[in-house]
Amino acid sequence: MSYREESYYRSKYNQIATKGINLSDYSIEELKALWNKTIQDGFHGICFSMYKDGQSPGDDISMEQVEQRVEILKPHVGAIRSFSCIEGNEFVPIAAKKHGLKTLVGAWLSDDKEDNEREIEGLIKLAKDGNVDVAAVGNEVLYRNDLTLDELVGYINRVKEALSGLDIPVGYVDAYYEFSRHPILVESTDVVLANLYPYWEGCPIEYALGHMQAMFGSVVDAAQGKPIIITETGWPSQGGGLDGAIASDEAAMKYFIDTVRWTKENEIPLFYFSSFDESWKTGDEGDVGAYWGLWDKHENLKF
């Protein structure tokens, strides 16, 4: 379905996709109030942002910094997603568990085989120590073309074998369409972990909820009946745009409100992207990369 169409996707959850809230019905202050209420009411989960200004991947981050941020997020979510198991990232699930939160713990896989070994062993150790509720073996590895499909499946099978008997679902995170393209990703995992980004497909905010629901529907079709978790979705608050998708405060608030409401109504586990703005991300994603957080880089709620 094209996001430009006004006929909407009906998923296997028997829900009709909608446009969500109409921005013209709200003043900016009313919109901020609804956004804040949505956060205060709580939602399933959030992606953890590790790095403060001046920090970036490769830096070793302290348990103290991680726990400080976990404490900020704790009142609003039931679960936290981490992306790596080295360089301080291993503290994220430990701190989350300490504060009574569930965890989706990722091993970051790349074309660096030595780092991959450290990541895989770190994930296995965290799981055996009781800090992992869902294990994610890699994030967008195929999207970045860092490993072959066979190499990736080998890592997944290795983790599954190591965790057999622990009742910890093992999955792999990638863009929603990869699971249709590569059924072995579904066959090799216990849970389907999908990233859904209408923004990165140039979708105007007016149609973003419907487009995200269509993305989710394609994952349902590919999932072979296995459980699905939305591991990332979000909208930047500033930094430009891509085709019809424009980064703005109003669009970021609308997308968060619509996404949380729809996933709650349909009991779909969601890890919203992201928690805090991170300045280092401008390199890979352009200016918008620094503005995906619900909290700003100073750890204050954005609106």
Side-chain angles (χ1 to χ4, degrees), residues 157-279:
N157 289 338
R158 180 173 156 191
V159 172
K160 285 188 69 176
E161 183 177 352
L163 303 188
S164 63
L166 293 182
D167 195 29
I168 298 172
V170 176
Y172 162 69
V173 179
D174 214 325
Y176 68 100
Y177 48 78
E178 296 289 359
F179 300 97
S180 300
R181 290 177 176 176
H182 306 291
I184 193 172
L185 293 175
V186 176
E187 295 158 8
S188 301
T189 54
D190 306 308
V191 57
V192 179
L193 308 176
N195 294 345
L196 317 177
Y197 280 110
Y199 178 87
W200 288 121
E201 295 193 357
C203 178
I205 187 60
E206 293 83 3
Y207 303 102
L209 177 62
H211 191 43
M212 187 267 284
Q213 290 167 328
M215 292 171 166
F216 184 80
S218 76
V219 180
V220 172
D221 290 340
Q224 302 176 25
K226 292 184 177 180
I228 301 166
I229 298 173
I230 299 174
T231 38
E232 291 178 39
T233 195
W235 199 278
S237 58
Q238 58 180 292
L242 177 67
D243 297 331
I246 306 299
S248 71
D249 291 349
E250 292 86 350
M253 285 189 278
K254 170 180 164 55
Y255 191 78
F256 175 72
I257 293 163
D258 287 346
T259 298
V260 170
R261 179 178 293 174
W262 181 70
T263 53
K264 275 188 170 182
E265 287 174 351
N266 290 279
E267 299 182 340
I268 299 167
L270 162 74
F271 287 86
Y272 200 79
F273 189 89
S274 189
S275 46
F276 305 97
D277 282 352
E278 292 185 282
S279 298

Side-chain angles (χ1 to χ4, degrees), residues 1 23 34 55 117 146 149 156 163 165 180 188 190 238:
M1 183 198 83
L23 286 174
L34 181 56
Q55 299 175 338
E117 287 302 310
D146 281 351
L149 183 60
I156 293 169
L163 303 188
S180 300
S188 301
D190 306 308
Q238 58 180 292

Side-chain angles (χ1 to χ4, degrees), residues 50-232:
M50 280 288 286
Y51 303 106
K52 297 186 177 184
D53 262 7
Q55 299 175 338
S56 61
D59 295 340
D60 282 308
I61 307 302
S62 69
M63 176 66 168
E64 180 182 14
Q65 177 172 316
V66 168
E67 189 165 11
Q68 177 189 20
R69 290 194 154 191
V70 168
E71 288 175 340
I72 293 170
L73 303 175
K74 176 183 175 180
H76 309 287
V77 298
I80 285 179
R81 178 189 172 201
S82 59
F83 291 79
S84 169
C85 295
I86 63 175
E87 298 172 344
N89 289 276
E90 67 272 19
F91 297 138
V92 179
I94 294 171
K97 283 293 184 181
K98 177 181 175 181
H99 290 275
L101 299 172
K102 298 288 189 180
T103 61
L104 193 160
V105 182
W108 185 268
L109 300 181
S110 68
D111 56 4
D112 186 326
K113 300 300 176 61
E114 290 186 9
D115 274 355
N116 289 353
E117 287 302 310
R118 296 169 61 209
E119 291 278 2
I120 292 295
E121 290 303 318
L123 177 58
I124 291 169
K125 183 179 188 305
L126 284 166
K128 289 184 174 179
D129 289 346
N131 295 304
V132 179
D133 291 297
V134 179
V137 185
N139 179 72
E140 296 187 341
V141 176
L142 298 181
Y143 174 79
R144 296 191 308 274
N145 200 31
D146 281 351
L147 297 171
T148 68
L149 183 60
D150 286 346
E151 287 173 324
L152 174 60
V153 171
Y155 283 119
I156 293 169
N157 289 338
R158 180 173 156 191
V159 172
K160 285 188 69 176
E161 183 177 352
L163 303 188
S164 63
L166 293 182
D167 195 29
I168 298 172
V170 176
Y172 162 69
V173 179
D174 214 325
Y176 68 100
Y177 48 78
E178 296 289 359
F179 300 97
S180 300
R181 290 177 176 176
H182 306 291
I184 193 172
L185 293 175
V186 176
E187 295 158 8
S188 301
T189 54
D190 306 308
V191 57
V192 179
L193 308 176
N195 294 345
L196 317 177
Y197 280 110
Y199 178 87
W200 288 121
E201 295 193 357
C203 178
I205 187 60
E206 293 83 3
Y207 303 102
L209 177 62
H211 191 43
M212 187 267 284
Q213 290 167 328
M215 292 171 166
F216 184 80
S218 76
V219 180
V220 172
D221 290 340
Q224 302 176 25
K226 292 184 177 180
I228 301 166
I229 298 173
I230 299 174
T231 38
E232 291 178 39

